[in-house]
Amino acid sequence: MTLRRVNVVILILLAVAFLIIVQRNLLKLSDFLHKENSDAEQILPFEAELSPQARLKTGAKGEEISVLITAAEDRLGGVIAAINSVHHNSKANVAFTIVTPNDTVDHLKAWMSNTKLKEVKYKIVIFQPELLNGKIPKDTSMLDAAKPLTFARFYLPVYIPDAEKAIYLDDDVVVQGDIQELYETSLKPGHAAAFSDDCDSASAKGIVRGAGNQINYMGFLDFKKEAIKKLGMRANTCSFNPGVIIANLTEWKNQNITQQLEHWMELNSQVDLYSSTLAESLTTPPLLIVFYKRHSSIDPRWHLRHLGTTGAGNRYSAQYVRAAKLLHWNGHYKPWMGTSSFTEVWDQWFIPDPTGKFHPVRRHAD
């Protein structure tokens, strides 16, 4: 009797153990199926709303590449061409932050949503000009130089708060290479940004009218002013072009770069610190001060500059322009104005405005 009871107990225990194992496996299977269904619910509707091209972009591998660009109403065609060139030439996971005035939002949305740019991943941020109160001169003669949107690059961590690294692009550029390569530019330890030095080639001096001082710090800052003298900067230091910026946003925030830039903006509004030679834009001088000998360099192929200045067409060959990864029409002459060099290159990336408001000016228009 005792042996039988023991055997019965053993059988009961084995049966219970078997049932427990079966139950656990069923629970795991249920969880797995639930997860699969949950994932499908999250992914399928999202994909169904996008074209195959958009799904390919969304599924691109690698971390998200944050790109900030500003969009003014009278330069919106440039913004469209720049975004289109980046989107077309990159397989990376690019996300645009477009900073624009409130009165440009509807036009921008219509242009993006009614063309192939509807595939682009972007968000629109309204620029608040009140941000610059007390930081730029009130002199009406400086209105062109003090266009509020030009200062958006000072606030990169504000507009792109969650990224560790970001790219800023002027609206008068087109990108001919994969922007992933530009994004992977190595910044030296402790550097918050990388720029293109304007003395990085023998031809650069000839491209900027006047040469000499006009490409160094003396062209932008008044070294007779005490506040500039105290900095101990060398007047003949090569300047850099802030139309393309690669920013380490972690360092930017740790070093309070935005606050430093604001300090020099405010000081200049009280005591004119900038040279009249090249300081047509009020954005470059504060950057030159804050990043004096504290910035990394961008590969010259990734920032071919001065295409909007007089004589650029004679300085660069068509082959050289085609080989460059990024073209920049900095200067007075923009490709949508019909007066710049290599306008035909920019035209490849321009998308006609579906609203009919923006029309590039062309010399030989009918």
Side-chain angles (χ1 to χ4, degrees):
M1 289 291 293
T2 303
L3 183 59
R4 281 185 182 179
R5 287 179 180 177
V6 170
N7 289 336
V8 169
V9 171
I10 290 173
L11 288 174
I12 292 173
L13 290 174
L14 289 172
V16 170
F18 175 78
L19 291 174
I20 290 174
I21 291 170
V22 170
Q23 183 185 31
R24 286 182 177 178
N25 287 335
L26 288 172
L27 287 174
K28 286 181 179 179
L29 178 61
S30 176
D31 288 342
F32 174 77
L33 292 174
H34 177 75
K35 183 178 186 298
E36 288 292 293
N37 290 333
S38 176
D39 287 345
E41 289 170 3
Q42 292 174 18
I43 294 173
L44 291 179
F46 180 66
E47 289 187 338
E49 295 173 0
L50 302 174
S51 67
Q53 291 85 352
R55 287 202 296 272
L56 177 63
K57 289 286 182 180
T58 304
K61 294 182 179 180
E63 63 181 303
E64 182 175 276
I65 297 177
S66 299
V67 177
L68 185 138
I69 191 167
T70 60
E73 182 68 28
D74 60 338
R75 301 165 67 98
L76 210 49
V79 178
I80 294 298
I83 291 175
N84 185 37
S85 68
V86 173
H87 177 68
H88 180 86
N89 289 312
S90 178
K91 295 180 180 179
N93 182 17
V94 181
F96 291 92
T97 296
I98 309 173
V99 182
T100 188
N102 190 49
D103 57 7
T104 305
V105 173
D106 290 341
H107 189 185
L108 175 60
K109 283 183 176 179
W111 207 331
M112 296 287 287
S113 61
N114 291 293
T115 64
K116 63 181 179 180
L117 294 185
K118 62 186 177 184
E119 302 172 357
V120 173
K121 185 177 182 179
Y122 70 94
K123 67 177 180 179
I124 296 174
V125 180
I126 307 300
F127 183 79
Q128 303 295 338
E130 298 81 12
L131 191 68
L132 303 177
N133 287 347
K135 300 182 181 70
I136 56 177
K138 296 181 179 180
D139 183 359
T140 54
S141 66
M142 296 294 289
L143 284 179
D144 286 342
K147 288 182 178 179
L149 275 179
T150 64
F151 297 96
R153 72 198 82 185
F154 289 9
Y155 299 92
L156 281 168
V158 177
Y159 294 124
I160 310 175
D162 299 324
E164 293 184 2
K165 194 175 185 181
I167 296 173
Y168 166 82
L169 297 177
D170 269 354
D171 57 13
D172 52 356
V173 309
V174 295
V175 175
Q176 300 186 131
D178 189 336
I179 203 167
Q180 178 83 40
E181 183 181 334
L182 178 64
Y183 183 78
E184 291 174 354
T185 297
S186 178
L187 274 66
K188 294 179 181 178
H191 285 183
F195 305 92
S196 291
D197 292 330
D198 268 333
C199 308
D200 59 11
S201 68
S203 61
K205 293 185 180 181
I207 293 166
V208 181
R209 177 179 288 181
N213 290 340
Q214 292 199 6
I215 57 168
N216 60 31
Y217 269 51
M218 186 174 286
F220 292 93
L221 300 169
D222 187 348
F223 280 81
K224 295 179 181 178
K225 297 294 174 66
E226 192 62 29
I228 300 299
K229 286 182 181 179
K230 287 181 179 179
L231 294 173
M233 299 185 300
R234 294 177 62 89
N236 63 352
T237 301
C238 182
S239 62
F240 53 76
N241 187 299
V244 176
I245 304 173
I246 304 165
N248 179 328
L249 298 183
T250 301
E251 283 291 344
W252 193 292
K253 288 182 280 191
N254 289 342
Q255 297 178 30
N256 297 316
I257 297 296
T258 296
Q259 289 76 11
Q260 291 186 57
L261 293 168
E262 287 182 325
H263 166 75
W264 289 105
M265 291 168 66
E266 292 169 357
L267 192 57
N268 178 66
S269 67
Q270 301 163 15
V271 183
D272 190 6
L273 300 176
Y274 305 161
S275 167
S276 59
T277 309
L278 272 185
E280 297 171 352
S281 168
L282 300 181
T283 53
T284 301
L287 289 163
L288 292 178
I289 294 172
V290 172
F291 287 102
Y292 177 71
K293 294 188 176 182
R294 294 175 59 204
H295 69 276
S296 298
S297 297
I298 294 174
D299 185 329
R301 294 174 302 168
W302 269 102
H303 195 181
L304 180 59
R305 304 174 298 290
H306 311 301
L307 294 180
T309 55
T310 304
N314 300 324
R315 302 285 178 179
Y316 298 127
S317 68
Q319 293 82 0
Y320 188 62
V321 169
R322 282 197 298 268
K325 303 296 184 72
L326 184 149
L327 307 178
H328 188 189
W329 280 267
N330 60 303
H332 292 294
Y333 306 105
K334 304 303 178 186
W336 54 86
M337 294 165 53
T339 53
S340 70
S341 301
F342 302 105
T343 300
E344 69 281 359
V345 179
W346 183 86
D347 285 341
Q348 297 174 29
W349 304 110
F350 175 72
I351 299 174
D353 183 0
T355 71
K357 295 178 182 178
F358 187 98
H359 298 281
V361 176
R362 291 294 173 259
R363 296 187 190 93
H364 306 295
D366 295 332

